Amino acid sequence: MTDSLGQRHWMTAPATVAVLDALEAAGGADCARFVGGCVRNALVGRSIDDLDIATTLTPDQVTKALKAAGIRAVPTGIDHGTVTAVSQHIPHEITTLRRDVSTDGRRATVAFTDDWCEDALRRDFTLNSLYARRDGSIFDPTGHGVADAKAGRIVFVGEAEQRLLEDHLRNLRYFRFYAWFGQGAPDATAVAACAKLKDRIDGLAAERISKELLKLLAADDPRAAARLMAEAGVLEVVLKLPANLARFEALVEVEADQLFECDPVLRLAALLPDDQVAAMALATRLRLSNPDRDRIVAALAPTPTLKSWMSPREIRREVYRSGLAVFRDRAKLAWAASPRSATTMQWRGMIALAEGWTRPELPLTGQDIMNAGVPKGPLVGQVMREVEDWWIDNDFLDDKLSVIEKLKAVAQGMVY
């Protein structure tokens, strides 16, 4: 019996039907099939994020077929056979069947083919080497893709080492797919190959490494995958720092228990040692975005130390000083690093209080300070900071007259 997905809504959507009709008008029935992630995800009951289509048509033929049907064709990866069809504002990535001619582990030279099996043999894992016709019937060239997908087995197509030598990023992809789809014990052959060839990762572009790492950390529960990476020596190659697996695993547990959103950037911070200089160096080396870099460095600030028993007044002070986002990140990391005891309500309450508090503005302006007799210049800022410190220590006193009285006293002491 042929495995089938049945007729899924994304297969029969008007935009998708228009693309398939255009391709088949040029190449005949069954010249185009769904491939990869959409087939895999549908098979295991996951949501469909992208629609990828494989075809026997060449990129030129694809482009002509789409234009003839009035569908916009974008040459997003023409050298590797990829054209994106934008049908009713929905992108469909269409790639010509390929075989590798040569590869150095970072980029490949490909030749086009009309052989579906040949195309499948150059893909990474069996669960990604699945094709589905428009009627939903599945074509499984390796003979193992459907079973592996359903069982949560992440297995390389053919020889694991050969697949890794063709593309060094597949080393990280192995652990990413294990985090997202893996069940049970990992494939020993695959892990051994990843461990053997782990140093090849260093030759990859930093952006490719960081993108794959953050995708891995975005899985619902990436703890087993991270441990496996560490055991294989791959995590050390990526981070070049000792990994704080205990805090990372505790953070994932806290997120799950408290229904917090999965947060790959904070999870990366949790994996790192409490060293802002080292964190900055890692973020720079991996070319993380400036916001992600700054967030990780701020989350790993050594002071002030956050404790679950902080008073509301202390919490408000720290939120004012660091900002809500930084405070929340630091609180979650401190929570993850704390002993697993009956303090959950305290940590949760602490974050809830911070989130429910509206940060006030100091009721004082530079003009107020100069009106108090402080000459324009650096002294204005110095007086402002001293009054602000007093105001914070008084729990953000909502009384401008008292603030002005304090200003007068500070100004008098500085000016005279």
Side-chain angles (χ1 to χ4, degrees), residues 94-124:
I94 304 167
T95 302
T96 303
L97 303 185
R98 301 172 293 179
R99 60 181 175 83
D100 287 339
V101 175
S102 64
T103 177
D104 62 2
R106 291 178 297 173
R107 59 187 69 84
T109 300
V110 301
F112 302 133
T113 179
D114 59 3
D115 187 331
W116 295 94
C117 291
E118 195 170 28
D119 183 75
L121 291 176
R122 67 171 299 280
R123 295 180 180 271
D124 50 12

Side-chain angles (χ1 to χ4, degrees), residues 163-289:
R163 295 288 84 77
L164 289 168
L165 289 170
E166 289 167 354
D167 184 353
H168 304 322
L169 191 66
R170 287 172 174 166
N171 202 316
L172 297 181
R173 282 173 62 82
Y174 176 80
F175 297 100
R176 193 246 290 187
F177 276 89
Y178 187 74
W180 280 88
F181 297 98
Q183 299 176 43
D187 181 66
T189 301
V191 176
C194 288
K196 180 179 177 179
L197 298 173
K198 62 182 183 295
D199 293 331
R200 306 291 181 101
I201 295 170
D202 277 335
L204 294 168
E207 294 89 347
R208 298 184 76 196
I209 296 173
S210 58
K211 183 178 180 181
E212 204 64 37
L213 179 61
L214 290 173
K215 282 183 178 180
L216 184 159
L217 295 176
D220 285 343
D221 188 353
R223 289 177 292 182
R227 284 195 301 271
L228 193 61
M229 280 183 79
E231 291 165 5
V234 174
L235 191 57
E236 184 178 356
V237 170
V238 173
L239 300 181
K240 305 202 182 307
L241 292 168
N244 192 337
L245 281 171
R247 180 170 63 185
F248 163 75
E249 293 183 0
L251 175 64
V252 175
E253 184 179 343
V254 165
E255 288 176 336
D257 288 347
Q258 302 302 314
L259 302 180
F260 290 136
E261 223 175 274
C262 297
D263 192 332
V265 176
L266 188 60
R267 287 174 174 183
L268 177 55
L271 268 175
L272 304 180
D274 290 321
D275 183 335
Q276 287 183 298
V277 174
M280 175 64 81
L282 174 115
T284 301
R285 178 171 56 81
L286 292 183
R287 297 186 183 178
L288 298 180
S289 69

Side-chain angles (χ1 to χ4, degrees), residues 136-414:
S137 60
I138 295 175
F139 177 54
D140 183 1
T142 70
H144 304 286
V146 170
D148 287 344
K150 290 180 177 179
R153 291 189 292 264
I154 315 302
V155 181
F156 282 102
V157 173
E159 296 293 327
E161 286 191 25
Q162 181 60 35
R163 295 288 84 77
L164 289 168
L165 289 170
E166 289 167 354
D167 184 353
H168 304 322
L169 191 66
R170 287 172 174 166
N171 202 316
L172 297 181
R173 282 173 62 82
Y174 176 80
F175 297 100
R176 193 246 290 187
F177 276 89
Y178 187 74
W180 280 88
F181 297 98
Q183 299 176 43
D187 181 66
T189 301
V191 176
C194 288
K196 180 179 177 179
L197 298 173
K198 62 182 183 295
D199 293 331
R200 306 291 181 101
I201 295 170
D202 277 335
L204 294 168
E207 294 89 347
R208 298 184 76 196
I209 296 173
S210 58
K211 183 178 180 181
E212 204 64 37
L213 179 61
L214 290 173
K215 282 183 178 180
L216 184 159
L217 295 176
D220 285 343
D221 188 353
R223 289 177 292 182
R227 284 195 301 271
L228 193 61
M229 280 183 79
E231 291 165 5
V234 174
L235 191 57
E236 184 178 356
V237 170
V238 173
L239 300 181
K240 305 202 182 307
L241 292 168
N244 192 337
L245 281 171
R247 180 170 63 185
F248 163 75
E249 293 183 0
L251 175 64
V252 175
E253 184 179 343
V254 165
E255 288 176 336
D257 288 347
Q258 302 302 314
L259 302 180
F260 290 136
E261 223 175 274
C262 297
D263 192 332
V265 176
L266 188 60
R267 287 174 174 183
L268 177 55
L271 268 175
L272 304 180
D274 290 321
D275 183 335
Q276 287 183 298
V277 174
M280 175 64 81
L282 174 115
T284 301
R285 178 171 56 81
L286 292 183
R287 297 186 183 178
L288 298 180
S289 69
N290 289 344
D292 286 351
R293 175 202 65 199
D294 295 344
R295 184 184 175 196
I296 289 171
V297 171
L300 295 173
T303 57
T305 302
L306 302 188
K307 300 293 185 182
S308 65
W309 56 84
M310 290 173 68
S311 69
R313 183 171 179 167
E314 291 172 315
I315 292 169
R316 287 190 287 268
R317 178 188 297 126
E318 297 312 324
V319 173
Y320 183 85
R321 292 291 193 193
S322 64
L324 174 60
V326 172
F327 178 85
R328 185 167 45 213
D329 283 350
R330 296 195 66 241
K332 287 181 180 179
L333 290 185
W335 185 351
S338 66
R340 311 308 291 162
S341 57
T343 58
T344 294
M345 292 302 294
Q346 289 174 297
W347 285 115
R348 183 76 200 204
M350 180 174 164
I351 293 174
L353 189 153
E355 291 175 334
W357 183 62
T358 301
R359 185 179 186 273
E361 293 289 334
L362 174 65
L364 193 65
T365 66
Q367 188 60 54
D368 291 332
I369 294 173
M370 288 186 284
N371 289 344
V374 179
K376 186 176 181 179
L379 199 57
V380 171
Q382 188 176 339
V383 170
M384 179 79 80
R385 286 188 293 274
E386 185 164 336
V387 175
E388 185 179 36
D389 288 341
W390 169 86
W391 178 66
I392 293 170
D393 287 341
N394 282 272
D395 203 19
F396 311 98
L397 190 65
D398 186 18
D399 181 354
K400 183 159 184 175
L401 288 177
S402 296
V403 174
I404 293 296
E405 288 302 313
K406 178 62 179 178
L407 164 62
K408 290 176 181 177
V410 172
Q412 187 174 22
M414 286 193 173

